[in-house]
């Protein structure tokens, strides 16, 4: 196995999320779908996109796509229940 393949597998886990086997599998589908499109449309930029994807997921989605889905689901539950969103705070004079 080449180092590029090992790095791609680590990116699958980062994109999908860590913690279960299902999350990296979801990441593998997402990354390989993007790879299929990018290698046809912009083959010379695929590795740059892969690196950018890894950086962005590491910085803004530390729990991966499944973590994002869980956060959105929790936010929808709070709004449906009428509970205030803890991230939105009223400014007090």
């Amino acid at each position: 196995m080449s180092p590029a393949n090992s790095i791609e597998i680590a990116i699958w886990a980062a994109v999908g999320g860590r913690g279960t086997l299902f999350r990296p599998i979801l990441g593998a589908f997402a990354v390989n779908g993007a790879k299929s499109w990018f290698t046809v449309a912009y083959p010379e930029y695929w590795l740059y996109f892969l690196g950018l994807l890894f950086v962005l997921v590491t910085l803004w989605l530390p729990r991966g796509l499944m973590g994002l889905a869980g956060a959105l689901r929790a936010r929808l539950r709070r709004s449906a229940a009428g509970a205030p969103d803890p991230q939105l705070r009223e400014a007090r004079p």
Side-chain angles (χ1 to χ4, degrees), residues 64-86:
L65 292 176
M66 292 301 290
L68 176 64
L72 292 175
R73 193 171 39 248
R75 181 174 280 185
L76 286 174
R77 275 193 222 133
R78 278 194 305 270
S79 66
D85 191 352

Side-chain angles (χ1 to χ4, degrees), residues 10-11 14-15 49-59:
I11 293 173
V15 169
F49 170 75
L50 192 62
L52 179 66
L53 179 67
F54 182 69
V55 169
L56 294 177
V57 166
T58 302
L59 290 175

